[in-house]
Structure formats: C-alpha cells, structure tokens
Amino acid sequence: MWIQPEEVLLAGALWVSERANPFFILQRRRGHGRGGGLSGLLVGTLDVVLDSSARVAPYRILLQTADSQIYWNIACGSSRKEITEHWDWLESNLLQTISIFDNDEDVTTFVKGKICGIIAEENRLKPSDEQEEDSGKFREAELKMRRLFGMPDEEKLVNYYSCSYWKGRVPRQGWLYLSVNHLCFYSFLLGKEVTLVVPWTEVTQLEKNATLLFPESVRVSTRHTEHFFSMFLNINDTFKLMEQLANIAMRQLLDNEAFAADRSLPKPCKTLKNVSVLKRDLDARAKNERYRAMFRLTQDERLDGHTDCTLWTPFAKMHVVGQLFISNNYICFNSREEDLCQLIIPLREVSIVEKADSSSVLPCPVSISTKNKMTFLFANLKDRDFLVQRISDFLQRTPDSLWGDTSPLSLIGQSVRQAQLRLRVSSSFDPASVLFSIQKGRHYHPGLPTASQGLLQLYHQDALEDLGPKAMKEKMKEEAWNIHFSEFGRGVCMYRTSRTRELVLNGIPECLRGELWLLFSGAQNEMASHPGYYGDLVEQAMGLCSLATEEIERDLHRSMPEHRAFQNEMGIAALRRVLTAYAHRNPGIGYCQAMNIVTSVLLLYCTEEEAFWLLVALCERMLPDYYNTRVVGALVDQGVFEELTRAFLPLLYEHMQELGVISTISLSWFLTLFLSVMPFDSAVLLVDCFFYEGIKVTFQVALAVLHDNMDALLSCSDEGEAMTILGRYLDNVVNKQTVAPPIPHLHALLTSGDEPPPEIDVFDLIKSSYEKFGSLRSDVIEQMRFRQRLKVIQSLEDTAKRSVVGGVNMLQANMLNMLTRPQTLQVCYWGSSSSAAERHDPSLPYLEQYRIDPVQFAQLFSALAPWTCGGHTSMLSARLFRLLDQNQDGLVNFKEFITGLSGMYHGDMTEKLKLLYKLHLPPALCPEEAESALEATHFFTEDELPDFSLSVAEVKDYRYYLRMWAKEKEPKRETIKDLPRMNQEQFIELCKTLYNMFSEEPMEQQLYHSIATVASLLLRIGEVGKKFNNGAKKAETAAQAPPSSLQKEERPGEGVSDESQVCQALADAQLEPAAPQTPDDDIKDDTSVSSYSVVSSGSLQCEDIADDTVLIGGSEQRRGSVLDVDWSITFEQVLASLLTEPPLVDYFETKRDIQAKMAACKAQRAVERQTSSTSDHELTQHST
C-alpha cells in the first residue's frame, strides 16, 4: 500500500535490493522468502521483539536521488504481487516524467506530493463509516494481526501489548493482540514460532495473580487448557481490557448480538498514538457503566466528563471534596469520602446556572439553582468557563417543558452582578401544543382503568384512628423523615448522606415508601423522562395473547393470596396490567416466575405507573439478567454468594457444599428478595435497604442468616434438615414495629413444628449484617459477578449441549462445537447484515442460535460425514440440509447439525438406513431432482393443504391454539411404519447414492455386488406390489398394450434369474416401454443427473463404476417420458432386502470414529491459518 513518505537513513541495513532504476529501489526484508540462514533468523527475531512493521510488510519501495544520502519510503507490501503492482505503476506513470527534471529536490517534492495525493484520494473514496481514525502505527499492527492469524478484514484490533507467553516453563517473548472476538499471541525467536488464537467465547476464567513461577501474570482458562502471560508493562490496563472483551463475548452468547462500535462517540482532536478508536470506545463504555451504576441512571445516559471540585453542604456548614460529573441529562456529585455526600441534579429541574465571583476562600465557584428553590454551590473548578458552556449546551437540548408547568426557559448566568442570559426560544412556542401532538402520536386515552394510589392505602383507611404504641412509632419515623427533608431537601435533588442511610435502616414509613423507592432506585427519573409511556403499553398490550400472558394469568392468584389487596379483582387487575405491560415492553424477558411476587409488593405502596417503572429498574438495572428463561443473573449471584461464604464462613462453606444447600437456598432468596421466605412485614424492610444500597444488602443478610445458624447447620447430616433449619429461622424473623395487621405467612404455616424457635427481630438481623459483613463493596461484588458470569454461561452452554448431543459423548460434542462455532459465530463476528442476524430469535436456547447456511454446512459435511460419495457428496449434503432445516429458514442450528451427524455415526443399522431413506424423500429431495410432474405437484401441494384448512376453520379461543402449539412442540416418536412409500424416481436416486458410497471402502467389490443384487430384488418387489395393488387396472392396461410390452412387464414377475432378464427388468421398471433405448441416448446419459446405467451382479467390476454410470436412460428421453407412478416400495422392504446381504449389514453396523475426522478438520484449519499468513512466494512454492 502507499504510505506517507518517511525518511530512511540506512537503505541497505537488514534489506536486500531486488530491483532498481535511477529513482526507485524495490527491497525485500532479509530472511523473508527462500532461505535466509542465521541472519534471517536474527532479523525475524528482531522484527517480532521490536514490533517492526517489516514483519507484516516485508517489501518496500524507496525513492532515491543521485546527490542525496537520504532515501524516502513511499510504499510497502505484504506480498510480491502487491509491491510489484506499485512498482509497475511508478515505472509507467512517473519514471518518464521525473527523468526530465533538472533538480533532485524537485523530483523528491513531486513524487512525495503525488504519493500524498493518491493516499488522500483513496481516503476520500472510502465510505464515511470506514474512514480510518487510527494512527499509522496501529493500522500496521492491525494488518499484522490479520496476516499472522488469518483473520478477515472485518476483525477489528482493540489493542496490543508486549508480553511473555509461558509455554511449559519457558517464556516466549512476543506480542499479545486483543481483538473484538479473539485473544491472539505471536512469538518468533531464532526460528521457533509460537501462534495462539483463543476466541473470547471459549474463555471460562480470567485471573490476575502473582506466584514464584509466574510473577505478575494473567491466567486465561478455557475448557481444556490454561494460558499464562506475564512481563506486561501495564498489567492492570491489559487485564481490564481483557475482562471487558470477555464480558462482551458472554453477552454475545446470551443475546447473540454482535459488538457495535459507538458511532456517537466524539472524535478526538488529534490522532492518539497507538490507541485505537475501539479502545477509546471501550474505555468510554466502562466509564459510562461505572457512572450509571454509581447514580442509578438509565442505560442511555452517557458521561460527558468529570472534574474535581468542592460542594458547599449547608446542613454540615462545610465544603466537601469530591468529583462533579456531567452527562447529557444530569449533573451529579460524589464525595471522595464514601457515604459523606451524593447528589443528583436532573437538567430538567435546573432553572439557573451562573458563575459567582471568585475569591481566595471560594475560587472559581458555579451556582446551580433548581425549580424547587434549591441552590447548589460548586467551587475549585479547574475550567469553569468550559464547564458552564457544556451545561448550557445540554440545557438547550433538554425538553423540560414536558415535565413541569414552568416555562421552558433555562437561565444561564454569567455572573451574580451581570444580567442573566436567557436561552433563546421561539416566540410561537406553545407547551400545550407540544403535549397535545405527543399525546396524539401515542393515541393515549387518559380514561384507562389504572390504580392511581398504592393498594395498601385503600385497605388501611379504616385503621387511621388507631394511636397505639406502634402507630406512635410510625409517626415518629415520619417526623424524622420530614426533618431530614427540611435539612437535606426532598425529591431527586436531595442530598444523600450517611444520615439518609441510617433512616433507611431504621425502616421507611409506609406513607413514604413508594416515593423513596422511586427516588433511590432511579425509577423516578425514568418515569419523568417517559410521560404517558405506561399508558401506551397498557393500551397496546390489551387483548394480545401470548405464552407470557398465559403464564401471567396462571400466576395472578398465586401472588400474595394471603393479603387483602389481592383477594379481589381490583388488585388482580392492577397486577395483570403491570406484568402484561412489561412483557410487551421487553419480549426478550417477557414474564418470569417471581416477577409476580415482587410486583405485587410494589403495587401495595405505589401507583401502577410507579410500580411499572420500579419493575423496569429491577429487571434491567438492579437485578440484571435475573428474570429471564435461564435466570442467568440469579445463577451468577449464587456463585458470588458461594464465593463470599467461602471467604467469610470457610468451615460452614465446606459442610454446605457437601450437602448442596447453598445452590438451593440462594435462588429463592435472591429472586424474590426474601419476600417468599420471610414474613411480609419483615421482608419489606429488606426491600427498603435493597433499593438504597443495591445487591450488597442481600448478600449481607444472607451471610448473617448463615452465621446465626452456623452451629445447627454444621450438625446437619442431609440437605432436608438444613433447609428445615433455615426455613424455620426465616419464618420467625418478625417486625415488631409494624402498624399493619399481621399477615399469615404460608411458608410458616407449612413448616411450623411443636416448639417454634425464638423470634428474631428483623432490625437486629439488619444491624448484625452491617456489623459483621458491612465491609462488602459494590465494586468488589461486580468483579466477582464478572468471574462467575464466565463460569455460569459456559456451564449453561455445556448443559444445553448435553441435551442435544444424543449419541455423541461430551468430549466429541465439545470438539464439534469448536469446529462449528467459528462457522456460526462469524455471522455475528463479521456479518451483522447477513440473513442469520436478521432472523435471530432471542427466545431460543442459545445453542440453537448458532446457525449455519448451506455453504458452511456443505464444508462441515464433507469434512466430518462418514458417508463420502465422491462427486455425489454435495448433493447428499444439500439433501441432508433440507431434511434438518425443519423450519425451512435456510439455516441449520448446532442442535440440528449434531442430530444428523449422530445418526450417521452412532445410530444402529435401522437408524442409519432410515436416515438414508429419508434423504431421498421430500423435503430432502427437492422438486428439481424429482423430475416427475406428479411428484413435483405432490411436493408443493402437501404444504398448502394445512394452510387452507386453517383458513376455513372456525375461530377458537387463544388457549386452544396455545395448547395445540404446545402439543406440536412435543417430540413425536417416529416409527418405520410412519415413513411414506418410495416411488420409482426416488428409488433411482437412492441407488445412485449407494453406488457412490463405497468407493473408498476395503470391501468395495463385494459391496457393489451386494447393492446390485438388492436393487434387482427391490425392483421385482415393486413390480409385484404394483400388480397386487392394481390388478384390475393392470389387466386393462395389458389388453391394450403391445405384446413386446407385456413380455417386458412379465419377466420380473416370473422370478427368472438370468442376468440379462434382470437388466431388462431394471430398464423396464424405470422407463415406459414405448420409448426404446438408443445408442445415442447412452451417450447422452452422461449429462443426466437422475439417470443410471444397469450393472448386473455377475458382470460388475469396480473399475467400471463411475459417479454417473449406475442407471440408464437419456436425459432427453427422461424429459419426454413419464415414470411408472404405480410402482412403489416401503422402508420395511428396503430394510429386509439389505439384511440379506452380509457385506451391507457389516458396512452399516460398523461404528465410525468421528474423532479422527475432527482432528483432521482442526489440523486443516490450523494449516489454512498458517497458510494465509505466509508470503506469496511460499504459497507458490507450496502449490508446486
């Protein structure tokens, strides 16, 4: 490729000149190509260790002038062909022009300008999304990675690092390449080459450790091996990037969505050296995720920047040091000291931003005022003017008129003493018209029946006069919160301090619970930014029927049936609307058991819309991946809980692992936030803490429960006894401060014994959890979640694999998966616009999401299938593909692929013959191969009849169709009697397949003899059956037919054993007697796909058999003739006939070993990868 001209001082060092003229020199890197000797080995080692671009571009062209000692590198190439094209272009377009120049400086200036012009033109012609922003050095590294490891151009390099790879006990110095989909390593030291490629989807564990053997190293574990890397310049940066890429790969396994670069990321002012656009993108994603998690913000919030500052806290009368964060919708502050102060200011609430006067006490202050009359003073800002300008820009984009009755003017003050600068808004702006147009676009009807208050308020109105001690305690809590609101503010802009946490741990009053849940979870911000959204969903979901809605209906009356609010239609209807609306919003999750329990509790304290947004916050942010078909998030946290138990309670952990209790208890505890295992009034206090602190509270309380029961659990001998102890303990966790009437806990009623254990105050349990396990940090939990996510997703994949492998053992299944996944995942890796990505169904098990098209299937079939049929293999592959493609979407998933392969390798003789038989029936046999008009018509009309019957069927209830759908999904056991009869043309295709199947077998001769005998026998059976079933018709036909025809039809029925008569019978069975065979037709038979030549059992010779010389009949004659449609045979007849020939029985009963074929296929791919990275000279040498 052409490159920006670079100075070269020593043109001959480590390079060999191959061509030269007065102005240009074409050079090859020493040691590249043929030979090289010791100097070549040394040069190759230096190129790898020093990251020289010559390793990937071993050819270059230099510009030289007679009077100058400086050379200019103007082009480089990875192959001789590429560099020769550039050389030829220079000679034909520039050489003659520059030869007439008198001054050497003019020659240099002209050539450099010409090369720069070519590069600029190439960049201009590229699409905008392909414009390269990376530095030249990084582009060279990316090209090197693709050459070394055989990656396509779509594979993007993120970053590369110098390190050592430990192969055994010997470190190999080289380069680690981290791409979007692969971890790659390359080393070349004194002729010893090491190449390693590990897909991120194969990684099961990433760990950074330091031992005597591997100092400061990173361990990458897969299912089968471990890899150690050390000697990093910045191991922390490398490890964080590896974690991020592995996490993206796990997300891809879950959602089957390819990595998409962030196109909205602002472009850097200058190209960063050795930092790719993707690396910058991933760094920005990591910062955004931390920012959103810290302040509980929505997934679309993007951090614009952050800076150090101080915040004046009026309640403490002091300046708090921390960081200010600016994003597209929020201004946030977090103190440097944990829990000292946190602040979230939505831009929709901001009314004025102004720069105050600086002083020695208060340098560079900025004042921000909100619509609820709160003012926040930030100081010690490094770049105050830029900060105010950014806030101003974001305020102009904020449609605050949708959230309040105030004017949509955001005031940006330049100074306290200066006039305030008002944002310019059109004079014709009308908020009412905007609201009306938005509502009109949504078709929202305000009269929808939705609960406008918490259900608990409806059932406590009669008990308001009670002023007992518990009611007084509740009033005191309310008063404490009101005092807190007066000091720290109320609403989204409230100062959140350690005092706030204390109030939450003491219990939130029932009248404030809904409001504070919305505030602490971040659901209030999301609800405010989507006005009317819930009403739209309720309208759209009304009357829709799906599997999710049926599951919701089934569970509605199981949601807190002991509570009065859900013993009538009002509460049930509200719960139905919220769950149905969320299933409509997020069909990927739809509905999962345990969502009904959590949602019913939310509805007790919130309106329907508030409960909906709290459910969104739970399912999509606070408990990610919990509520889906595989409950991945709950399984991940179960692994985290086991790890925490091992760290804090090691003795109990070992005993619990032996009993297998932890995995049983944690799912029910975490999925329902203890609501299903604890009395309601106690569990709801844990929900208070959860919305404020997050998942760490759940882990703390779970550890505290185990700690309180440690002695009893250590004495347990089985799982049931341990579960009983924990169940009875949780049943007796009580809330002695509740004002609500006691709600009977169903679990307690079922598990209570003669001697109930002592009651445990829930406040004591929460206090104990903070005292003993309060050291848990949210960032540490996220790190543990990442480690567990790798294990959980890979184990889920193994479990799904076991359910589909059938007769293939797990080792072979893993190898098959390694071979098929590169074929299938390349659709996600490098083909996001392909049909596979467009047809992705996230509701499928993810092993069924790995899908390949016919071309990829044919490659795998030819490499792995035991039935090799020479030139007939591609046709057999296409038929098997159509047979396995049950939904006819043009794609076959891993489950379907391994089902077909398992039948060929591990099925008994009947199963193998059944598969072979079905390969020659529709839909495997396509209409193009079935040339009979009647056959083709039957093929197409079979699929149309069911649609016609459905169109005229009477309308039935949706439950009927759901039951029918479930019944269709049930696996049906197919017997040999269910297989349809095979007609004459299909039998001809079967014969051709069998004749082509034995070409590489040791008993080839005997197998050919046997198949000829079986074919003759089956033809006679078909003739006998035809005469038996259609006797009257045959008699009438025989009376009208010529005598020669009658003779031909009678011969096979008489059972004559003469070879010539058998041949004649075969011929008569496939063609009408009115069209005699001619010598010309024999010649034309070579072009006919479905026609065969007859070979008798006595005259059969192995060398006479070709791929297309099995049956007779010219192609022209076949088009003009009609096959005998009355002739047919059954599978039982085929099976019985083949059982009479021992060579065929031995062939089909022999167990084939797939291990060797998989090893050969894997080795071939390794060779292809190495071949793709070699030079063109080496490729030419290999081909010759």
Side-chain angles (χ1 to χ4, degrees):
M1 61 179 178
W2 300 109
I3 60 175
Q4 294 289 344
E6 300 174 348
E7 285 188 8
V8 178
L9 296 178
L10 299 174
L14 307 180
W15 292 85
V16 178
S17 298
E18 295 198 340
R19 295 189 187 182
N21 58 42
F23 298 99
F24 301 106
I25 304 174
L26 189 154
Q27 293 185 327
R28 171 177 57 84
R29 187 68 165 179
R30 192 179 300 276
H32 181 77
R34 58 176 80 89
L38 180 61
S39 62
L41 295 178
L42 292 173
V43 172
T45 302
L46 285 173
D47 288 342
V48 171
V49 174
L50 301 178
D51 191 28
S52 169
S53 60
R55 183 68 188 170
V56 65
Y59 297 94
R60 70 179 183 182
I61 297 177
L62 301 180
L63 168 67
Q64 65 169 357
T65 54
D67 299 335
S68 176
Q69 298 297 321
I70 297 176
Y71 298 82
W72 294 90
N73 188 6
I74 60 173
C76 65
S78 59
S79 66
R80 186 182 299 276
K81 179 181 177 182
E82 180 185 3
I83 204 69
T84 302
E85 290 176 355
H86 288 1
W87 179 267
D88 293 342
W89 187 90
L90 290 172
E91 285 191 330
S92 58
N93 292 278
L94 289 187
L95 195 57
Q96 188 173 1
T97 303
I98 60 179
S99 61
I100 61 175
F101 281 41
D102 296 331
N103 191 346
D104 289 342
E105 292 184 2
D106 294 341
V107 172
T108 303
T109 303
F110 176 78
V111 173
K112 287 168 61 178
K114 196 70 174 177
I115 299 302
C116 292
I118 293 174
I119 295 173
E121 183 65 16
E122 288 177 349
N123 290 332
R124 188 185 67 82
L125 295 176
K126 287 183 179 179
S128 58
D129 57 346
E130 294 182 10
Q131 297 270 337
E132 294 182 350
E133 302 175 12
D134 297 329
S135 65
K137 184 73 174 175
F138 192 87
R139 287 200 299 271
E140 286 181 3
E142 187 171 49
L143 180 59
K144 185 188 304 184
M145 178 203 70
R146 293 172 185 161
R147 298 288 185 186
L148 291 174
F149 307 107
M151 301 290 180
D153 293 342
E154 291 82 1
E155 181 71 349
K156 301 298 183 182
L157 178 65
V158 180
N159 212 348
Y160 63 106
Y161 303 91
S162 173
C163 70
S164 292
Y165 169 58
W166 291 78
K167 193 169 184 181
R169 295 189 177 183
V170 180
R172 301 296 181 93
Q173 185 67 28
W175 290 88
L176 180 70
Y177 298 88
L178 304 181
S179 71
V180 172
N181 303 301
H182 297 89
L183 177 151
C184 306
F185 177 83
Y186 181 80
S187 172
F188 181 86
L189 294 175
L190 299 178
K192 297 292 185 181
E193 188 176 45
V194 176
T195 303
L196 175 69
V197 178
V198 179
W200 289 116
T201 50
E202 295 291 337
V203 175
T204 58
Q205 188 175 1
L206 278 176
E207 189 177 2
K208 182 176 64 173
N209 52 23
T211 63
L212 291 176
L213 183 60
F214 302 115
E216 200 74 21
S217 64
V218 173
R219 183 178 67 179
V220 180
S221 302
T222 64
R223 287 184 178 86
H224 311 291
T225 185
E226 293 181 341
H227 307 284
F228 290 89
F229 301 91
S230 64
M231 303 293 289
F232 291 97
L233 293 177
N234 189 343
I235 190 170
N236 293 324
D237 180 56
T238 308
F239 187 71
K240 285 180 181 178
L241 181 58
M242 294 169 77
E243 281 188 324
Q244 199 170 5
L245 292 171
N247 212 11
I248 291 173
M250 294 305 105
R251 178 56 55 185
Q252 179 181 320
L253 286 178
L254 275 179
D255 302 335
N256 203 26
E257 293 180 356
F259 173 81
D262 191 351
R263 296 295 179 190
S264 63
L265 198 66
K267 294 186 177 181
C269 334
K270 60 181 181 179
T271 302
L272 302 176
K273 185 179 180 182
N274 295 346
V275 177
S276 68
V277 176
L278 280 180
K279 178 67 167 63
R280 198 165 57 89
D281 182 350
L282 291 173
D283 289 343
R285 291 187 186 208
K287 290 180 181 178
N288 287 334
E289 289 172 3
R290 288 195 296 270
Y291 170 64
R292 291 192 293 258
M294 184 185 300
F295 299 104
R296 305 274 174 80
L297 302 178
T298 58
Q299 295 297 324
D300 57 349
E301 199 64 25
R302 301 187 180 187
L303 180 64
D304 185 70
H306 60 89
T307 182
D308 294 332
C309 70
T310 59
L311 171 66
W312 171 254
T313 52
F315 54 88
K317 302 296 189 290
M318 60 181 291
H319 292 277
V320 176
V321 179
Q323 281 192 319
L324 183 69
F325 300 84
I326 308 293
S327 61
N328 45 334
N329 291 304
Y330 298 92
I331 301 171
C332 302
F333 174 84
N334 195 47
S335 61
R336 184 176 299 172
E337 184 180 344
E338 190 177 7
D339 292 332
L340 187 59
C341 181
Q342 191 182 75
L343 184 65
I344 301 173
I345 308 173
L347 290 181
R348 66 177 183 271
E349 297 290 335
V350 174
S351 59
I352 301 175
V353 178
E354 56 189 5
K355 295 185 288 187
D357 291 335
S358 296
S359 65
S360 58
V361 180
L362 203 66
C364 299
V366 170
S367 173
I368 299 177
S369 301
T370 62
K371 296 172 184 176
N372 60 354
K373 310 304 181 185
M374 292 184 70
T375 301
F376 305 96
L377 186 62
F378 299 93
N380 291 283
L381 294 163
K382 292 181 180 178
D383 197 346
R384 183 176 62 167
D385 294 339
F386 178 76
L387 176 69
V388 171
Q389 183 60 46
R390 291 302 293 165
I391 296 175
S392 172
D393 294 341
F394 285 128
L395 281 171
Q396 292 184 36
R397 305 172 199 165
T398 304
D400 55 349
S401 60
L402 298 179
W403 291 290
D405 299 329
T406 58
S407 171
L409 299 178
S410 298
L411 307 178
I412 310 298
Q414 298 298 324
S415 172
V416 173
R417 298 178 182 179
Q418 294 177 355
Q420 295 176 341
L421 171 66
R422 296 177 177 270
L423 300 179
R424 287 179 290 178
V425 181
S426 172
S427 58
S428 61
F429 178 82
D430 184 7
S433 64
V434 174
L435 288 172
F436 174 76
S437 64
I438 292 175
Q439 289 183 357
K440 183 178 178 182
R442 288 197 299 262
H443 304 287
Y444 173 65
H445 298 295
L448 280 175
T450 58
S452 58
Q453 58 182 333
L455 296 177
L456 207 59
Q457 297 180 20
L458 301 175
Y459 295 96
H460 277 192
Q461 290 177 351
D462 301 336
L464 292 178
E465 303 300 327
D466 183 13
L467 295 177
K470 292 184 178 179
M472 291 300 296
K473 184 75 173 177
E474 187 76 3
K475 290 288 185 184
M476 291 174 62
K477 286 184 182 180
E478 292 178 25
E479 188 62 28
W481 274 99
N482 289 330
I483 295 173
H484 183 273
F485 291 148
S486 64
E487 292 184 9
F488 298 87
R490 186 166 186 171
V492 289
C493 299
M494 179 178 70
Y495 291 97
R496 307 179 194 199
T497 66
S498 56
R499 174 62 181 159
T500 312
R501 175 197 273 181
E502 291 176 9
L503 289 175
V504 171
L505 296 183
N506 289 328
I508 298 177
E510 288 188 352
C511 61
L512 296 175
R513 187 160 274 149
E515 174 189 342
L516 293 176
W517 282 0
L518 284 168
L519 176 64
F520 296 145
S521 67
Q524 183 171 338
N525 289 321
E526 204 161 4
M527 183 173 68
S529 58
H530 295 83
Y533 178 78
Y534 172 70
D536 289 347
L537 284 179
V538 172
E539 267 193 298
Q540 295 166 12
M542 276 185 178
L544 295 181
C545 300
S546 64
L547 194 59
T549 57
E550 185 173 81
E551 291 176 351
I552 290 170
E553 290 296 328
R554 185 183 62 218
D555 287 348
L556 283 177
H557 296 278
R558 304 176 187 173
S559 309
M560 296 189 68
E562 66 275 13
H563 200 286
R564 290 175 57 195
F566 298 99
Q567 294 172 355
N568 57 72
E569 185 54 33
M570 178 185 291
I572 295 296
L575 182 60
R576 177 188 292 112
R577 284 191 292 269
V578 173
L579 292 175
T580 306
Y582 186 78
H584 189 68
R585 164 191 166 90
N586 193 343
I589 292 178
Y591 171 77
C592 175
Q593 285 189 344
M595 286 173 67
N596 58 322
I597 297 174
V598 175
T599 308
S600 60
V601 174
L602 300 178
L603 281 169
L604 290 176
Y605 301 99
C606 308
T607 67
E608 272 188 43
E609 185 174 14
E610 292 170 348
F612 170 80
W613 286 112
L614 279 171
L615 184 62
V616 169
L618 276 173
C619 295
E620 298 176 11
R621 288 186 282 112
M622 301 189 73
L623 296 175
D625 300 320
Y626 259 60
Y627 302 104
N628 55 30
T629 54
R630 297 183 292 275
V631 291
V632 173
L635 292 174
V636 168
D637 282 350
Q638 173 186 303
V640 173
F641 182 52
E642 291 183 6
E643 197 171 339
L644 290 172
T645 307
R646 183 171 62 242
F648 288 99
L649 308 169
L651 292 178
L652 183 60
Y653 169 78
E654 295 178 3
H655 186 65
M656 297 282 278
Q657 283 295 97
E658 294 175 3
L659 299 179
V661 176
I662 295 182
S663 59
T664 307
I665 61 175
S666 53
L667 275 181
S668 59
W669 293 3
F670 296 157
L671 273 173
T672 62
L673 300 174
F674 290 95
L675 288 166
S676 64
V677 295
M678 231 183 236
F680 169 75
D681 294 321
S682 303
V684 76
L685 291 174
L686 299 182
V687 178
D688 293 343
C689 301
F690 169 78
F691 278 122
Y692 186 78
E693 293 274 25
I695 193 64
K696 65 172 273 188
V697 174
T698 309
F699 288 123
Q700 287 178 190
V701 173
L703 289 170
V705 171
L706 292 184
H707 184 271
D708 289 351
N709 294 274
M710 183 183 296
D711 295 336
L713 291 172
L714 287 173
S715 62
C716 289
S717 58
D718 58 39
E719 179 185 0
E721 186 180 355
M723 293 296 296
T724 301
I725 291 171
L726 292 172
R728 296 188 68 185
Y729 176 88
L730 292 171
D731 290 337
N732 289 274
V733 176
V734 297
N735 179 6
K736 298 178 180 179
Q737 299 180 11
T738 180
V739 296
I743 301 172
H745 190 233
L746 293 182
H747 190 263
L749 295 176
L750 294 174
T751 60
S752 60
D754 298 332
E755 298 180 4
E759 292 182 343
I760 301 96
D761 193 331
V762 66
F763 292 101
D764 293 339
L765 178 62
I766 294 174
K767 183 180 178 182
S768 171
S769 72
Y770 272 90
E771 289 175 352
K772 296 172 182 174
F773 309 105
S775 59
L776 279 179
R777 294 172 54 89
S778 298
D779 55 347
V780 175
I781 291 175
E782 286 303 318
Q783 285 288 327
M784 298 169 74
R785 274 179 163 179
F786 164 74
R787 291 197 297 268
Q788 294 298 327
R789 191 177 293 116
L790 292 180
K791 296 178 183 177
V792 166
I793 294 179
Q794 298 291 8
S795 64
L796 282 175
E797 185 174 77
D798 290 340
T799 303
K801 210 181 300 174
R802 289 189 187 96
S803 67
V804 301
V805 294
V808 182
N809 62 42
M810 276 304 297
L811 176 62
Q812 294 172 352
N814 285 331
M815 289 189 66
L816 271 175
N817 200 27
M818 290 170 62
L819 292 173
T820 56
R821 187 146 56 173
Q823 296 281 357
T824 57
L825 284 186
Q826 69 180 356
V827 174
C828 298
Y829 286 169
W830 307 310
S832 58
S833 62
S834 67
S835 60
E838 294 168 0
R839 295 171 180 169
H840 165 56
D841 183 2
S843 64
L844 291 173
Y846 56 86
L847 268 184
E848 296 184 22
Q849 294 172 3
Y850 295 169
R851 299 184 290 181
I852 53 179
D853 57 28
V855 176
Q856 296 167 330
F857 181 86
Q859 295 171 356
L860 290 170
F861 181 86
S862 60
L864 299 174
W867 297 343
T868 54
C869 301
H872 199 60
T873 302
S874 59
M875 187 180 297
L876 194 65
S877 168
R879 290 175 185 170
L880 181 59
F881 183 90
R882 288 191 290 268
L883 181 65
L884 296 176
D885 185 16
Q886 297 177 357
N887 57 357
Q888 298 182 357
D889 62 347
L891 298 166
V892 166
N893 60 44
F894 177 73
K895 179 179 180 180
E896 293 165 339
F897 174 77
I898 202 170
T899 299
L901 209 59
S902 177
M904 287 187 283
Y905 272 101
H906 298 277
D908 56 19
M909 179 179 178
T910 304
E911 291 296 323
K912 292 177 181 178
L913 289 176
K914 188 195 296 185
L915 176 60
L916 195 61
Y917 184 86
K918 289 164 72 174
L919 288 177
H920 298 84
L921 297 173
L925 190 73
C926 64
E928 290 78 8
E929 294 173 336
E931 295 177 0
S932 166
L934 178 62
E935 166 72 25
T937 305
H938 180 62
F939 178 86
F940 285 113
T941 54
E942 269 186 341
D943 293 335
E944 294 172 1
L945 288 175
D947 295 337
F948 175 77
S949 62
L950 283 175
S951 64
V952 298
E954 61 180 76
V955 179
K956 293 183 174 62
D957 184 63
Y958 76 94
R959 293 183 180 86
Y960 166 79
Y961 293 105
L962 284 172
R963 285 192 297 270
M964 293 297 293
W965 176 79
K967 190 177 293 185
E968 290 173 1
K969 288 288 183 182
E970 292 178 0
K972 299 175 182 177
R973 184 69 178 175
E974 186 183 51
T975 65
I976 58 176
K977 293 186 179 297
D978 297 329
L979 295 173
R981 300 178 70 89
M982 178 176 282
N983 66 23
Q984 194 178 76
E985 178 126 6
Q986 294 160 359
F987 174 70
I988 292 172
E989 293 292 334
L990 176 62
C991 289
K992 181 175 181 181
T993 300
L994 290 171
Y995 271 115
N996 284 273
M997 193 180 289
F998 311 128
S999 59
E1000 299 179 5
E1001 291 297 318
M1003 297 181 63
E1004 184 178 6
Q1005 194 78 13
Q1006 294 88 331
L1007 288 169
Y1008 281 140
H1009 290 177
S1010 298
I1011 201 61
T1013 304
V1014 170
S1016 303
L1017 180 59
L1018 286 172
L1019 282 168
R1020 294 171 187 171
I1021 291 173
E1023 288 295 330
V1024 172
K1026 179 178 68 173
K1027 292 182 179 181
F1028 180 76
N1029 294 327
N1030 304 304
K1033 183 179 178 181
K1034 284 291 181 182
E1036 183 180 350
T1037 306
Q1040 299 175 359
S1044 59
S1045 299
L1046 285 174
Q1047 283 183 348
K1048 291 178 180 178
E1049 288 185 2
E1050 289 170 0
R1051 281 174 184 167
E1054 296 170 358
V1056 181
S1057 60
D1058 185 78
E1059 295 174 1
S1060 61
Q1061 291 178 351
V1062 174
C1063 296
Q1064 189 64 40
L1066 276 164
D1068 292 339
Q1070 63 178 352
L1071 298 172
E1072 285 295 320
Q1077 182 80 19
T1078 64
D1080 293 337
D1081 289 330
D1082 286 330
I1083 298 171
K1084 293 175 183 177
D1085 180 58
D1086 292 338
T1087 62
S1088 176
V1089 176
S1090 301
S1091 55
Y1092 297 75
S1093 63
V1094 180
V1095 185
S1096 69
S1097 60
S1099 61
L1100 187 67
Q1101 297 295 331
C1102 180
E1103 56 271 13
D1104 296 333
I1105 302 296
D1107 288 343
D1108 54 354
T1109 59
V1110 182
L1111 298 179
I1112 61 173
S1115 57
E1116 293 182 2
Q1117 185 177 1
R1118 288 291 305 280
R1119 294 190 189 98
S1121 62
V1122 179
L1123 289 171
D1124 190 346
V1125 295
D1126 294 326
W1127 188 98
S1128 65
I1129 55 174
T1130 64
F1131 176 73
E1132 294 97 320
Q1133 293 167 342
V1134 174
L1135 179 60
S1137 301
L1138 285 168
L1139 287 173
T1140 62
E1141 292 294 326
L1144 290 174
V1145 173
D1146 293 340
Y1147 176 81
F1148 284 107
E1149 284 189 343
T1150 302
K1151 296 293 184 182
R1152 308 283 172 171
D1153 182 19
I1154 194 175
Q1155 204 83 16
K1157 283 186 174 286
M1158 287 192 293
C1161 184
K1162 192 175 180 181
Q1164 178 63 26
R1165 290 196 177 174
V1167 170
E1168 289 173 358
R1169 183 180 291 115
Q1170 292 177 0
T1171 303
S1172 64
S1173 63
T1174 57
S1175 66
D1176 59 325
H1177 173 75
E1178 293 164 336
L1179 284 172
T1180 307
Q1181 202 172 35
H1182 180 269
S1183 61
T1184 54

